[in-house]
Amino acid sequence: ARWTGLDSTGWLEDRAAAGLLPSGAGRKGYSFDPRCLHKWLSAADASTVHLPRVDVNTLSEVSLALAGGERPDAVSRRILDRALKLLESECGAIFLTDDDSWLDLCATTGIDSDLPEALQGAAIWVAASGEPLLLPDLRRVDDNVTFVDDGEPRDSLAVPFVVEDRVSGVLVAMRRRDQPPFNEGHLSLATVLATELGLAIERTRVHDSLGRRLSVAQDQLEKYAVDTRRLFGAEKARAAELREALHRLEDTYLATVRGLAAAVEAKDEYTAGHLMRVTHYGLSILELIDPKSAGDPMFEYGFLLHDVGKMGVPDAVLQKEGPLGDDEWTLMR
């Protein structure tokens, strides 16, 4: 009753009781599907069959505005003005749903202050049901109906923006009483506009969603790059430390071998300088017969330590003048 401007529900109840208006009778009274009002009016008044005149240029302007890549909420006022022009209406609004499916008023035309009850009620019903709605001016069939405000437009139309069974917004329009009523042709035209607007809204939402996901992925990649650089730097520093430690170890090992060689020479003065000469000659020969092995320190170690066994031989045996006995030869071997 409020949507159609009635000051009470009596008029609807009287016609429901007389069987003139489809309704359901329950313990709490009558219930109505708001869509039945237009069907009832169309059957009662043949003058409501009025095909709308489609302005192709204006329809093209709406399509171009939606395809321009701008956000629907940014161009909603421009789209609404053109949609109302197509519907030959001077009063209307566009509602968009937020993430919680709550209707937010996005744009209005021909409304100076508060939204008319019919606009709000029709928008909420359409958003909840996902169905388009025509609400007629009931004074067209009964001049004795009492209304709250005779100066307010009464014919109302509302269509949802539906994409993949999801309502993303609602377009509503109203007409003055001195204009022809809305009909199924206007509803079809408005549905075409709503479909385009719904696709544009969905495109924007997908674009925003992809943008957020790409931003998250980029942040993760940047963090991964930072971690990789840090890890690479740490491994590089660790490799340098290992190389330095290896060089120190090699130097220490070579010093130990040379120390052992020096100890062998000190134990047997007869071979003084012998180990260094053998090492010099051995490395020189190695350069000639196998250059690839010349850089292997194992050969130098072998040359320096080839007499290291003398360290385990008693000086009396090692420095004995004259031939050795059998036991002494066994010890030497």
Side-chain angles (χ1 to χ4, degrees):
R2 291 196 305 273
W3 298 354
T4 55
L6 293 171
D7 64 349
S8 71
T9 61
W11 187 90
L12 293 171
E13 292 171 346
D14 290 344
R15 275 142 190 80
L20 300 176
L21 189 63
S23 62
R27 183 168 51 86
K28 295 183 178 181
Y30 294 101
S31 61
F32 301 88
D33 182 337
R35 291 174 294 182
C36 74
L37 285 175
H38 179 263
K39 293 179 180 179
W40 171 74
L41 178 61
S42 298
D45 185 0
S47 65
T48 59
V49 181
H50 167 71
L51 296 178
R53 180 180 57 85
V54 179
D55 186 340
V56 177
N57 291 331
T58 304
L59 184 59
S60 176
E61 289 176 3
V62 174
S63 299
L64 289 174
L66 291 173
E70 296 182 77
R71 296 182 60 90
D73 52 357
V75 296
S76 57
R77 176 58 186 272
R78 194 160 74 241
I79 293 170
L80 176 61
D81 289 342
R82 287 164 173 75
L84 294 180
K85 182 179 179 182
L86 283 170
L87 296 172
E88 299 176 306
S89 174
E90 298 177 355
C91 174
I94 287 179
F95 297 84
L96 297 180
T97 58
D98 57 19
D99 293 336
D100 297 323
S101 298
W102 185 259
L103 279 180
D104 290 328
L105 182 61
C106 190
T108 62
T109 294
I111 300 173
D112 297 328
S113 56
D114 296 334
L115 286 177
E117 189 78 30
L119 280 181
Q120 297 184 58
I124 293 172
W125 187 90
V126 167
S129 66
E131 299 289 340
L133 177 63
L134 285 175
L135 286 177
D137 183 349
L138 297 177
R139 289 172 294 187
R140 297 183 185 279
V141 293
D142 192 340
D143 291 332
N144 296 320
V145 181
T146 304
F147 291 86
V148 176
D149 181 6
D150 287 342
E152 182 181 297
R154 296 302 176 198
D155 278 304
S156 304
L157 173 152
V159 288
F161 312 149
V162 181
V163 178
E164 295 182 349
D165 298 327
R166 181 180 183 274
V167 177
S168 57
V170 177
L171 167 67
V172 292
M174 298 186 75
R175 274 187 169 180
R176 299 187 309 274
R177 189 182 182 190
D178 59 356
Q179 293 179 293
F182 286 127
N183 55 48
E184 296 294 338
H186 296 99
L187 195 63
S188 298
L189 181 57
T191 301
V192 171
L193 296 174
T195 299
E196 288 200 53
L197 189 52
L199 290 172
I201 293 171
E202 190 65 22
R203 182 179 66 241
T204 300
R205 285 176 171 165
V206 170
H207 184 271
D208 291 345
S209 176
L210 287 176
R212 289 192 296 269
R213 292 180 184 179
L214 287 175
S215 178
V216 171
Q218 183 177 358
D219 290 342
Q220 292 176 342
L221 286 175
E222 289 177 354
K223 291 177 181 178
Y224 176 75
V226 170
D227 292 342
T228 302
R229 285 196 296 270
R230 289 176 179 172
L231 180 61
F232 177 76
E235 290 297 325
K236 186 176 180 181
R238 178 175 173 81
E241 292 174 359
L242 289 175
R243 285 195 299 271
E244 181 65 25
L246 180 60
H247 291 158
R248 289 197 300 268
L249 183 62
E250 290 175 346
D251 292 343
T252 301
Y253 190 69
L254 181 58
T256 301
V257 171
R258 287 174 176 171
L260 285 172
V264 171
E265 290 195 335
K267 188 173 180 66
D268 187 4
E269 296 179 357
Y270 176 77
T271 59
H274 165 71
L275 297 179
M276 298 306 297
R277 289 194 298 274
V278 168
T279 300
H280 173 71
Y281 293 143
L283 292 177
S284 297
I285 295 171
L286 186 63
E287 284 279 359
L288 295 175
I289 64 175
D290 191 3
K292 294 182 179 179
S293 299
D296 190 341
M298 291 296 104
F299 289 97
E300 182 179 2
Y301 300 158
F303 296 144
L304 286 172
L305 297 178
H306 78 274
D307 276 340
V308 74
K310 291 182 178 181
M311 294 293 292
V313 179
D315 291 345
V317 177
L318 190 63
Q319 298 175 8
K320 180 181 177 179
E321 296 182 1
L324 299 178
D326 292 339
D327 293 339
E328 292 170 337
W329 272 118
T330 299
L331 181 60
M332 284 292 290
R333 291 187 180 98

